[in-house]
Amino acid sequence: MNTEQVLDIEHRLMSPGVSQETQLADVVFERGEGSYLFDIEGRSYLDFGAGIFTQNVGHNHPHVVNEVKQQVDKLWNVHDGSTEARAKACVALHKHLPDELSRVAFFTTGAEAVEAAIRAVFSGAPPQKQKLAALRYGFHGKTQGARSLVHWDIGYSNESGNSVLGYAANCYRCPLGRTYPSCDMQCAQLVNRHISSKPNIAALFFEPVQGAAGVIVPPQEYWSMITQVCKDNGVLLVADEVVSAGGRTGRFLASQHYGIEPDLVVGAKGLSSGFPFSMLAGTEALMGQGEFAGAGATSSTFGGNPMSCTAAYATLEVLDNEQVLESVEAKGKRLGGGLRDLMHEHEVIGDVRGIGLLWALEFVSCRKNKTPAPDIAAQFYQACMKAGVRVCLGGNIVRIGPPLNVSDADIDKALAVFDQCLQTIAS
Ligand SMILES: Cc1ncc(COP(=O)(O)O)c(C=O)c1O
């Protein structure tokens, strides 16, 4: 089939709610290799979205391909059964996870693992603690339980019914109208006031660095302030690291940057090179309590299947064997520095922020008023695709996150394309 034929079928037969990126790009992808994607017509694209932050070691890494190919000849699924692949995934994760998080359970999507985290919390929560808490603009998935933690207008927000504890530290658009550092971290203080005044909260679900909201990287003290008050008030810490687990921010978990000691951690995207795999890691006490320790509590049809587990342990082996995490900070500085240079040149960029290899450009039509400009962001996205660089688009924000083993040369190449595209859309 050619591009037109594929798109014609998809437009006629698929439900229309595909991503904005898909709606705006008439591209049919065929294969990937390292930091590059290739479309069905043979055009190449530097993938600075790494799938959707899934391809931490790039597309089709030879070691992952090799392990998956061997597994494909052996066994694909046997309901929740013990396999060597699953045992290897356990070991590979334990090598990187904090010692306290000694138990893992495997699922297929981020939302499914968030749901499992909710079940784990409630299986031991005392009767007076029956509420979950989350931060405004956090994203935790689109299933019903996960949606109950999402308090903003992406997707359907009408299911959100639980406590909202306040704000992440979005310093560019401070919801309290303050400026860092003279603000005294009022956003964190507000969260803490809620936590200490509401005895019914069992757990706080949070992204250490909010991803979908546009890479909101809090100042260092934000999390130390909040986590201490949670601990003092018996509120469990559930870190949703669906985007960040696996080294996206430069440490295996983003929590490690902030000294957060979560009771539960959810990971998914970057752990398995694009195969459907997610994990819930937790303390012995939490994972082994009440109903959550009962037969079948963590099993599902595809959870922990040997294909996904193989992709996961092989991906983590690449991280180790090629010392991928060691260079993320330096590469992030190169990318972030380049993006900040672009901000000096181009008025339409209102803010540049990021950590490790997770970055965001926020597009505005007026810098002074910070007027969001989703139309300019969409133009930028389309221009980049035309010029052969793929980024992730959401509203007026473009997120940029190449594979963690991207070369310096490809970072420079992408930055040059961004510059060119910004010039084109300005003219
Ligand atoms: C922080 C976070 N949690 C949960 C999810 C849901 O993951 P999934 O789409 O695999 O269900 C996402 C998805 O982007 C996410 O960014």
Side-chain angles (χ1 to χ4, degrees), residues 133 135 140 204-208 223 227 237-241 255 260 262:
L135 298 178
H140 303 287
L204 170 63
F205 282 65
F206 61 94
E207 297 168 83
W223 281 120
T227 54
L237 295 167
V238 185
D240 181 345
E241 302 229 17
S255 290
I260 304 170

Side-chain angles (χ1 to χ4, degrees), residues 137 152 169-174 210-217 339-340 342-344 346-354 359-378 380 392-400 422 425:
Y137 300 108
W152 54 303
N170 184 349
C171 297
Y172 178 62
R173 294 184 186 279
C174 176
Q210 288 187 336
V215 189
I216 308 301
V217 186
L339 294 174
R340 289 201 177 99
L342 291 178
M343 182 172 156
H344 291 136
H346 302 282
E347 278 284 305
V348 290
I349 302 177
D351 194 31
V352 172
R353 49 186 182 254
W359 287 83
L361 299 178
E362 183 149 354
F363 285 87
V364 292
S365 54
C366 168
R367 256 199 199 170
K368 189 163 162 277
N369 298 333
K370 302 183 180 176
T371 319
D375 48 333
I376 301 178
F380 177 74
C392 296
L393 173 68
N396 73 315
I397 292 168
V398 164
R399 285 186 295 164
I400 295 171
L422 287 161
I425 61 178

Side-chain angles (χ1 to χ4, degrees), residues 317-334:
E317 281 174 354
V318 175
L319 280 191
D320 294 340
N321 297 343
E322 300 182 11
Q323 293 159 0
V324 174
L325 294 192
E326 275 77 342
S327 62
V328 171
E329 192 182 333
K331 285 180 180 160
K333 279 195 176 135
R334 189 180 194 98

Side-chain angles (χ1 to χ4, degrees), residues 137-151:
Y137 300 108
F139 182 65
H140 303 287
K142 291 180 184 165
T143 53
Q144 196 81 349
R147 294 271 348 146
S148 74
L149 303 163
V150 177
H151 299 270

Side-chain angles (χ1 to χ4, degrees), residues 109-111 114 139-141 207 240 242-243 269:
T109 66
V114 169
F139 182 65
H140 303 287
E207 297 168 83
D240 181 345
V242 164
V243 174
K269 293 180 188 287

Side-chain angles (χ1 to χ4, degrees), residues 15-349:
S15 188
V18 297
S19 67
Q20 194 192 3
E21 290 153 14
T22 300
Q23 286 169 359
L24 290 176
D26 289 337
V27 170
V28 178
F29 294 112
E30 188 178 49
R31 68 187 179 87
E33 192 181 324
S35 298
Y36 284 82
L37 285 164
F38 297 86
D39 72 14
I40 201 167
E41 315 289 344
R43 282 184 295 259
S44 69
Y45 303 81
L46 247 183
D47 188 4
F48 267 50
I52 179 73
F53 314 122
T54 50
Q55 309 309 121
N56 278 8
V57 299
H59 292 276
N60 293 35
H61 189 287
H63 179 63
V64 182
V65 170
N66 191 33
E67 295 296 305
V68 165
K69 272 189 176 162
Q70 288 189 39
Q71 186 62 45
V72 103
D73 284 336
K74 290 190 211 158
L75 183 65
W76 297 4
N77 197 2
V78 48
H79 176 234
D80 193 40
S82 297
T83 58
E84 189 178 339
R86 193 165 76 168
K88 282 180 156 181
C90 288
V91 171
L93 281 163
H94 276 284
K95 209 167 158 186
H96 288 280
L97 288 168
D99 290 344
E100 306 74 56
L101 304 180
S102 58
R103 295 274 177 177
V104 286
F106 297 140
F107 305 92
T108 40
T109 66
E112 200 189 348
V114 169
E115 298 280 343
I118 295 173
R119 294 201 303 279
V121 167
F122 282 138
S123 67
Q128 73 276 16
K129 283 186 172 285
Q130 292 301 322
K131 282 274 187 190
L132 299 175
L135 298 178
R136 236 171 249 282
Y137 300 108
F139 182 65
H140 303 287
K142 291 180 184 165
T143 53
Q144 196 81 349
R147 294 271 348 146
S148 74
L149 303 163
V150 177
H151 299 270
W152 54 303
D153 56 356
I154 48 173
Y156 311 101
S157 57
N158 55 341
E159 286 107 19
S160 57
N162 283 318
S163 317
V164 192
L165 281 178
Y167 299 105
N170 184 349
C171 297
Y172 178 62
R173 294 184 186 279
C174 176
L176 303 168
R178 307 300 297 265
T179 306
Y180 181 78
S182 62
C183 60
D184 274 340
M185 298 304 300
Q186 285 204 350
C187 52
Q189 288 185 39
L190 188 63
V191 173
N192 286 345
R193 265 210 304 282
H194 283 292
I195 288 171
S196 39
S197 65
K198 288 181 182 158
N200 58 355
I201 298 167
L204 170 63
F205 282 65
F206 61 94
E207 297 168 83
V209 172
Q210 288 187 336
V215 189
I216 308 301
V217 186
Q220 194 63 33
E221 61 272 36
Y222 178 82
W223 281 120
S224 50
M225 286 170 73
I226 291 175
T227 54
Q228 189 53 50
V229 172
C230 284
K231 295 220 164 181
D232 293 346
N233 286 274
V235 172
L236 296 171
L237 295 167
V238 185
D240 181 345
E241 302 229 17
V242 164
V243 174
S244 47
R248 173 67 37 203
T249 62
R251 305 286 296 269
F252 190 74
L253 298 178
S255 290
Q256 292 165 325
H257 285 285
Y258 293 98
I260 304 170
E261 292 173 359
D263 299 286
L264 293 169
V265 169
V266 178
K269 293 180 188 287
L271 296 174
S272 54
S273 292
F275 278 73
F277 175 89
S278 60
M279 63 129 207
L280 174 66
T283 58
E284 183 78 36
L286 266 175
M287 301 290 270
Q289 72 182 353
E291 282 181 3
F292 202 66
T298 56
S299 69
S300 64
T301 303
F302 301 116
N305 73 77
M307 294 307 305
S308 295
C309 284
T310 298
Y313 81 69
T315 300
L316 298 177
E317 281 174 354
V318 175
L319 280 191
D320 294 340
N321 297 343
E322 300 182 11
Q323 293 159 0
V324 174
L325 294 192
E326 275 77 342
S327 62
V328 171
E329 192 182 333
K331 285 180 180 160
K333 279 195 176 135
R334 189 180 194 98
L335 177 60
L339 294 174
R340 289 201 177 99
D341 289 345
L342 291 178
M343 182 172 156
H344 291 136
E345 298 293 314
H346 302 282
E347 278 284 305
V348 290
I349 302 177

